[in-house]
Amino acid sequence: MFTLRDKYAIAGIGETAYTKNSGTTVLNLAVEACQKAADDAGVPVEEIDGIVSYNFGDSVPAIGVATALGIPNAGYAVDFAGGGNAANLITLTAAAAIEAGLAKSVLCFRAMNGRSGFRLGGGREFQARGITQYTAPFGWITYPQAMAMWCRRHMIEYGTTAEQLGSVAVTFRENASLNERAMQRERITMDDYMASRFIVEPFRMLDICLESDGACAVLVTKAEHARDLKHKPVYIMGGAYGGGPNQGEDLFDAIRWPDHSQNYAAYIADDLWRSAGVGPSDVDVAEIYDCFTYSVIMQLEGFGFCKPGEGGPFVASGAIKRDGSLPLNTHGGLLSEAYIHGLNHVLEAVRQLRGDAGPRQIADAEIALTTAGAMTCGSAMVLRA
Amino acid sequence: MNDFSKPVPVADSDSAPFWEGCRAHRLMIQRCGSCKTPRFPPMRTCPKCHSTETEWFKASGRGTVYSWIVVQHPVPREVYGQDVPYVVALIDLEEGVRMVSNVIGLDPHAIIGNMPVEVTFEEGQGGVVLPKFKPREA
């Protein structure tokens, strides 16, 4: 269990514009976001000695970014192989690395040309080797196809409906309409949702997140260091990573997963809340990994905001709106702001806890949950002002 | 239909008996030679008892639909454009393992959860035979 409650903080955040075509390299995007995070904190790049990221072979190595930024000695430079599951994991390991003496200030970034370059949603390689030999030959190839299979099982077991999925899409787009950085800001109605075409049943176009070019970065330091910097620190209360047994041979593989109506969240929730010393009822705002509408429902159940099977009615009740009991994805999420693999959720949580979220600000937000991942493994953090 | 662009399973040291079985229209499943626990996909070491003894048996071919999707948007279009809509399903075999396949021989929208199915074999390009599933009487 993560045992560093309140000892580390996010001291700076940075990001690029989110676009369909950045017109520049992934390296430049990464450098821009990292430089902005350092500047936001007021930490000279020369004082940064750690840099960590995650990618699917679609980004640039941490040492490359350290080199381009002019970091004198990146002593903790690590690239995780991962997708959305890793967004909080890298931030937690930054704290762990500092605690172990491997670094003092660590940049955590995610950078990609996810629309103009390598399109993750466009399918996987067509060499059906390894675990893929049991999936791809049957035309089971893309992540929307993968997650739709999980969603159907939830529908079989609990009667979850299209309208319930749609309430997630409509709510997050409403939030994005207040976010000038969001790629999709035009409000949608339930009729718009129901009229959007099926991509892979039960998913319609509006159940599926965006594809984006862009980068995000956060700077993690010791809490006492963060208190001397430019912004009010956002403290890491707790966190967890994992997903129990049978996580599979890669992020797509869930053949041996026992129950597709629940995901990683159900396995890491206890560790998460114990590490933070708070529970679901203490959360003021949550940024939940929404690569698909349905992944939100599974995580709300898994993290204990409602019981298994009640996620559909919960999201449809209005509880997840800005004026509801649990405001979710105030930036619009992966569905409407941008798909920066969940690190943009961490940036939004920091803004909310600083009180810097402008028209999207949740009043008196003191504790935020950020989650990352949708299927068999994932990570989550509890942050506080 | 451009069959030759579809992903072709590449057999390896663990999976070769499975794909050989398919060519002979036999659904072969691996189990631990020590604790006899069936497993899919096949691999050398039993995750339950850690034995590396393995054996194979012919499954009944009967199972149920654990979950399914109906692919409407082909990715990539040049490969699957003429196949949509098609069904991909997770099939629970009665021997206790789950596998991925296609459900064929019925309207995709007639599928219901936990529906009984049985294996059938479809020949594809390059000598590859894929195990697929069709409805059966319960």
Side-chain angles (χ1 to χ4, degrees):
Chain A
M1 191 177 80
F2 186 77
T3 57
L4 304 174
R5 188 187 306 166
D6 294 341
K7 289 179 73 176
Y8 291 87
I10 295 174
I13 57 176
E15 75 209 302
T16 66
Y18 304 138
T19 67
K20 288 183 175 177
N21 185 352
S22 68
T24 190
T25 65
V26 178
L27 177 63
N28 288 336
L29 294 173
V31 168
E32 179 184 342
C34 287
Q35 181 74 59
K36 283 178 173 171
D39 293 347
D40 182 60
V43 173
V45 164
E46 292 71 22
E47 292 180 13
I48 292 169
D49 53 2
I51 185 161
V52 56
S53 188
Y54 57 105
N55 68 72
F56 261 117
D58 58 352
S59 192
V60 285
I63 56 166
V65 179
T67 300
L69 279 167
I71 290 176
N73 181 17
Y76 179 70
V78 178
D79 302 292
F80 285 84
N85 59 311
N88 295 299
L89 170 67
I90 62 166
T91 311
L92 296 170
T93 64
I98 300 169
E99 179 77 10
L102 294 174
K104 289 191 173 66
S105 297
V106 180
L107 280 167
C108 308
F109 76 88
R110 177 69 170 118
M112 61 226 242
N113 276 327
R115 179 63 180 80
S116 69
F118 176 81
R119 297 177 70 183
L120 186 59
R124 313 169 92 211
E125 77 281 6
F126 272 59
Q127 300 219 333
R129 296 174 190 277
I131 191 68
T132 308
Q133 70 186 295
Y134 306 108
T135 56
F138 303 97
W140 204 37
I141 292 161
T142 70
Y143 281 94
Q145 293 166 0
M147 193 88 231
M149 193 76 85
W150 292 66
C151 183
R152 177 82 73 183
R153 187 62 206 180
H154 203 273
M155 292 172 158
I156 293 169
E157 289 200 17
Y158 300 117
T160 304
T161 68
E163 287 80 3
Q164 290 164 353
L165 301 180
S167 66
V168 174
V170 170
T171 301
F172 292 180
R173 185 62 62 82
E174 170 71 26
N175 292 342
S177 74
L178 301 175
N179 177 3
E180 61 189 15
R181 294 183 319 280
M183 292 175 70
Q184 293 286 350
R185 300 188 62 189
E186 195 174 328
R187 288 180 173 85
I188 54 173
T189 65
M190 186 60 78
D191 286 345
D192 294 331
Y193 169 81
M194 293 301 288
S196 79
R197 68 187 174 96
F198 276 120
I199 300 299
V200 47
E201 295 177 53
F203 283 166
R204 294 169 168 80
M205 176 79 94
L206 289 173
D207 288 303
I208 299 170
C209 73
L210 307 172
E211 296 176 292
S212 310
D213 290 5
C216 287
V218 302
L219 182 71
V220 176
T221 69
K222 274 190 175 157
E224 58 260 36
H225 184 201
R227 284 192 279 273
D228 296 332
L229 298 173
K230 271 165 70 175
H231 290 281
K232 193 171 68 170
V234 168
Y235 296 94
I236 302 171
M237 296 181 76
Y241 175 75
N246 294 309
Q247 293 180 38
E249 292 177 33
D250 62 21
L251 283 181
F252 190 98
D253 173 26
I255 294 175
R256 285 155 286 194
W257 190 253
D259 180 356
H260 287 65
S261 73
Q262 61 175 20
N263 69 0
Y264 80 95
Y267 288 87
I268 72 168
D270 285 350
D271 268 358
L272 173 73
W273 299 123
R274 277 195 297 134
S275 71
V278 296
S281 63
D282 297 306
V283 171
D284 298 310
V285 58
E287 316 297 351
I288 303 285
Y289 197 78
D290 58 329
C291 48
F292 305 97
T293 52
Y294 169 61
S295 66
V296 174
I297 289 173
M298 232 179 340
Q299 289 171 89
L300 289 174
E301 294 176 3
F303 285 119
F305 292 100
C306 57
K307 291 186 178 138
E310 294 180 358
F314 184 86
V315 297
S317 72
I320 66 171
K321 294 182 179 181
R322 282 197 312 286
D323 60 356
S325 60
L326 182 69
L328 292 192
N329 293 26
T330 44
H331 52 333
L334 308 173
L335 288 165
S336 287
E337 186 194 52
Y339 181 62
I340 313 295
H341 253 151
L343 202 55
N344 49 324
H345 289 40
V346 178
L347 268 67
E348 175 69 4
V350 169
R351 279 199 191 86
Q352 288 285 348
L353 296 176
R354 285 178 177 177
D356 284 347
R360 309 183 312 282
Q361 182 66 45
I362 302 302
D364 304 320
E366 291 179 355
I367 294 181
L369 170 69
T370 60
T371 78
M375 297 189 268
T376 68
C377 63
S379 56
M381 288 193 296
V382 182
L383 305 174
R384 73 167 177 87
Chain B
M1 185 160 63
N2 181 4
D3 269 348
F4 293 95
S5 303
K6 286 182 181 168
V8 175
V10 180
D12 55 38
S13 56
D14 289 325
S15 68
F18 174 77
W19 293 115
E20 284 164 16
C22 288
R23 272 199 293 280
H25 291 204
R26 296 157 63 90
L27 187 62
M28 300 302 292
I29 299 294
Q30 188 192 48
R31 69 183 161 215
C32 174
S34 179
C35 76
K36 308 297 180 187
T37 305
R39 59 178 183 256
F40 186 87
M43 53 190 182
R44 183 189 297 176
T45 304
C46 175
K48 199 172 168 191
C49 76
H50 311 294
S51 167
T52 54
E53 292 175 44
T54 61
E55 56 190 48
W56 291 80
F57 68 97
K58 180 175 178 290
S60 71
R62 289 188 294 272
T64 54
V65 175
Y66 177 75
S67 191
W68 81 98
I69 58 173
V70 184
V71 178
Q72 296 281 3
H73 176 74
V75 180
R77 180 171 296 280
E78 56 271 30
V79 177
Y80 292 101
Q82 294 180 53
D83 291 353
V84 291
Y86 67 90
V87 175
V88 185
L90 294 174
I91 306 294
D92 281 349
L93 297 183
E94 62 183 15
E95 289 82 3
V97 297
R98 184 173 293 158
M99 59 187 298
V100 182
S101 185
N102 302 118
V103 178
I104 59 174
L106 82 171
D107 176 349
H109 296 109
I111 296 176
I112 58 171
N114 308 310
M115 194 173 101
V117 291
E118 64 187 354
V119 75
T120 182
F121 291 91
E122 264 197 5
E123 313 232 352
Q125 72 279 12
V128 170
V129 177
L130 296 178
K132 301 204 171 180
F133 287 82
K134 61 184 183 184
R136 69 173 162 92
E137 298 296 320

